[in-house]
Amino acid sequence: MILGRFRRRLAIGTGRTALGYLFAAPLLVVLTVAVLLPALYNTGVAFFRYNATRDTWRYNGFDNFVGLFQSDAFWNSFWVTLIWVAGNVGLQLVAGFWIALALNRIVRFRGAFSAVLLIPWVSSFVVVAVLFLWIYHPQLGVLNDLLLKLGLVSKPVAWLSSPELAQVSLIMANSWKFFPLVMITLFTGLQDVPGEVLEAAEIDGAGRFQTLWRIVVPLLAPSIATAVLLSTIWGYNSFTLPIIMTAGGPLGSTEIMGLYIYKLAFDAFDFGGAAAASIVLFVQILAMVALYLRFADRELAPAG
Amino acid sequence: MSGRSRTAPGLTALAYVFLGLTTVVVAFPYLWMVATSVKPIEEFFTYPLQWLPAAPTARHYLAVLEDSRFLRALLNSTIVATVVTAISIALAVPAAYGLVRLAGQRGRPMLIAILSAQFFPPMIFFIPFYILLAQVKLLNTLTGLVFAYLSVTLPICTWMVATSLRALPRELEEAARIDGCSDVQIIWRIVLPIARPGIITAGIFAFVLAWQEYIFALLYTTTPAAQTAPVLMFYYLGQHQIDYGRLMAASVLLSLPIALPFAIIQRHYRQGRNEGGVKG
């Protein structure tokens, strides 16, 4: 009797759930080995000092973290990363917003425009890096040539080899690669804003920017939050473009956290320090996600 | 009657102009890449700069295609991306079906846990993968790369397939069950065909990710036998005299295998949307 009821429950509710997990089991095993265990291992490494000459590990508590916080190079990369993330998010958001708005207004050729606008997003990192190295080339680059022809500059600009400009030049290249996803996210959000709302605002005589700022932006808030979160995470996780285009230079002006961790691990063989720095990076990302969840929840609350 | 074009035809025209300009800015680097790839070296140094090649040449392409190391790297990239795609789909589709359709609401926490793996920065894996791959003697092997890439592609693919499965109307499966179809038949004959656009999209996504992956390939491969194309390009750059003609030709070749699946992805997106429109 009890067994029978148990069987019935298995068959109706838990049975299907168990079968579901069985279907997922191979994936869960691989993810445990390829994601979860390495992440835990990395956490462990952060508390050890690796001696490359003797290939030995020694436990040293929080020393790796203390060492980071006392290191000028760490703080340099911390601030460089903040500027990098803020610049990327800002530029991608501004570009993505206006382009999404324009796409939303037109009907004809929308598919053709968006097909071209999505190209950078599917371009290989290395190709983008090579492309912009070539465009930014001081003597042979087309950007300087264009600016000289237009009379906007009087002599070639050293885009990537001057500490003041390298970061901005990198941000422009990186934003070129990543704006399409922000654009798509905001465009999808805009499609949910009823046309009548926009129209009514225009008829009521609200100024264009007032309409945008008071009506469209608040309605878009969830999409904007998602776009900001995504480009923030990508910003923190960046590596390929900076290492190829500037390798952190000149004078550490573009040494974002990813490059700092890479150099610590594979140039200095400070595995413990690199692991600790990657945890600091991860904590920053988690803080952003937490901020997003709070912000997005508050924004979504009145609607649902 | 379109209300918006009535109230602001000027804005619509402005939108077209703006999009036209943006498209030019976005497409320009690519056109510049293709133009450079067929430009003879002599024309690189002419002043003022020559935008279009006066005497186009296939020399750079031939040089790249005669470079056995580059061909080997292209082959390696193809193998790794294909294997990663196949494994990702083979694991993600049953997992997504199991968690979304069989476990339903109870599978949701697990799905979210899988998705959250995406928040892990690649830097967290730098050292663990390095040590692990060294220990099982998989440094400088394609197998090692496949393993590393799965950590990136699996969570994304599972999520994409799960999203497309969730959109399927459950009634279809129930109707088939009443008609006497077994679970296997339902999956094979009903779920998979309808979810195909989503599965293909996820597969192409995995391919694109693996094809352009750079960080792990840079860290875990140093020998020509295991090097992928992006890493080899980095070595080209490391030479003191950068041969931009060759580099641009290689870039064009490296972009082609992604351009094609991307065209397919776009068509499927539209098809999927249309099908949904008809049914919904």
Side-chain angles (χ1 to χ4, degrees), chain A residues 202-250:
Chain A
E202 278 172 12
I203 290 168
D204 285 350
R208 300 242 183 277
F209 284 96
Q210 267 194 330
T211 313
L212 270 182
W213 191 244
R214 297 249 179 95
I215 298 168
V216 179
V217 170
L219 282 172
L220 258 188
S223 304
I224 294 175
T226 306
V228 168
L229 178 79
L230 289 177
S231 54
T232 303
I233 293 178
W234 293 326
Y236 275 113
N237 291 352
S238 302
F239 182 82
T240 309
L241 240 56
I243 199 179
I244 294 178
M245 292 180 67
T246 62

Side-chain angles (χ1 to χ4, degrees), chain B residues 67-178:
Chain B
D67 182 345
S68 63
R69 207 172 154 184
F70 185 73
L71 292 183
R72 174 81 220 208
L74 273 184
L75 181 68
N76 285 342
S77 285
T78 312
I79 294 172
V80 170
T82 310
V83 173
V84 166
T85 306
I87 297 180
S88 302
I89 292 304
L91 292 179
V93 170
Y97 183 79
L99 294 177
V100 170
R101 285 317 231 204
L102 296 174
Q105 276 304 310
R106 287 177 225 220
R108 215 177 145 64
M110 189 58 84
L111 266 180
I112 290 172
I114 291 171
L115 179 73
S116 63
Q118 283 183 101
F119 293 141
F120 286 30
M123 293 82 205
I124 276 198
F125 301 113
F126 277 7
I127 294 159
F129 280 179
Y130 188 77
I131 291 170
L132 181 75
L133 292 179
Q135 251 163 17
V136 293
K137 302 254 180 297
L138 284 179
L139 281 180
N140 287 316
T141 65
L142 298 182
T143 316
L145 283 187
V146 168
F147 171 77
Y149 292 1
L150 284 176
S151 69
V152 180
T153 56
L154 278 178
I156 297 173
C157 285
T158 309
W159 190 257
M160 289 175 88
V161 178
T163 311
S164 71
L165 283 181
R166 209 177 281 134
L168 294 186
R170 205 176 262 278
E171 294 77 35
L172 278 178
E173 287 162 74
E174 274 155 17
R177 187 161 284 125
I178 292 167

Side-chain angles (χ1 to χ4, degrees), chain A residues 33-268:
Chain A
V33 178
V35 178
L36 194 59
L37 293 180
L40 292 174
Y41 187 89
N42 185 69
T43 313
V45 170
F47 295 93
F48 283 81
R49 172 118 226 117
Y50 177 67
N51 187 327
T53 43
R54 279 188 241 148
D55 191 23
T56 53
W57 296 89
R58 184 172 54 79
Y59 177 74
N60 69 345
F62 283 93
D63 285 4
N64 289 330
F65 291 93
V66 174
L68 283 183
F69 296 139
Q70 288 173 345
S71 143
D72 290 342
F74 170 81
W75 286 111
N76 172 61
S77 97
F78 181 85
W79 295 115
V80 166
T81 307
L82 272 190
I83 295 168
W84 165 259
V85 171
N88 268 298
V89 173
L91 194 54
Q92 287 166 39
L93 198 65
V94 170
F97 179 74
W98 289 108
I99 298 171
L101 218 55
L103 273 179
N104 191 48
R105 182 162 273 279
I106 67 166
V107 180
R108 294 186 64 194
F109 304 121
R110 191 189 267 171
F113 277 126
S114 58
V116 176
L117 291 169
L118 280 170
I119 291 175
W121 181 53
V122 285
S123 305
S124 293
F125 283 104
V126 174
V127 170
V128 175
V130 166
L131 222 58
F132 276 89
L133 272 181
W134 178 225
I135 287 171
Y136 284 146
H137 195 289
Q139 283 85 41
L140 310 175
V142 69
L143 182 58
N144 275 340
D145 187 61
L146 186 69
L147 293 177
L148 285 168
K149 272 181 185 152
L150 292 174
L152 291 171
V153 297
S154 53
K155 58 178 175 34
V157 179
W159 295 105
L160 293 168
S161 49
S162 75
E164 296 81 23
L165 280 179
Q167 176 81 304
V168 178
S169 310
L170 264 190
I171 289 174
M172 289 198 293
N174 197 61
S175 294
W176 181 84
K177 159 121 176 113
F178 276 116
F179 89 88
L181 223 51
V182 174
M183 170 190 90
I184 283 292
T185 310
L186 296 184
F187 176 71
T188 315
L190 269 177
Q191 300 249 287
D192 295 335
V193 176
E196 299 84 55
V197 173
L198 299 170
E199 206 185 310
E202 278 172 12
I203 290 168
D204 285 350
R208 300 242 183 277
F209 284 96
Q210 267 194 330
T211 313
L212 270 182
W213 191 244
R214 297 249 179 95
I215 298 168
V216 179
V217 170
L219 282 172
L220 258 188
S223 304
I224 294 175
T226 306
V228 168
L229 178 79
L230 289 177
S231 54
T232 303
I233 293 178
W234 293 326
Y236 275 113
N237 291 352
S238 302
F239 182 82
T240 309
L241 240 56
I243 199 179
I244 294 178
M245 292 180 67
T246 62
L251 302 172
S253 61
T254 59
E255 189 168 294
I256 56 167
M257 212 66 125
L259 296 186
Y260 174 73
I261 294 169
Y262 168 76
K263 286 178 180 172
L264 219 51
F266 298 101
D267 285 349

Side-chain angles (χ1 to χ4, degrees), chain A residues 119 122, chain B residues 30 208 211 252 254-266:
Chain A
I119 291 175
V122 285
Chain B
Y30 263 91
V208 171
W211 180 262
V252 171
L254 201 60
S255 303
L256 287 181
I258 303 187
L260 201 67
F262 180 62
I264 299 171
I265 229 184
Q266 280 241 327

Side-chain angles (χ1 to χ4, degrees), chain B residues 187-202:
Chain B
I187 294 175
W188 198 250
R189 294 217 185 131
I190 307 213
V191 177
L192 284 184
I194 301 180
R196 204 173 54 196
I199 295 171
I200 290 175
T201 308

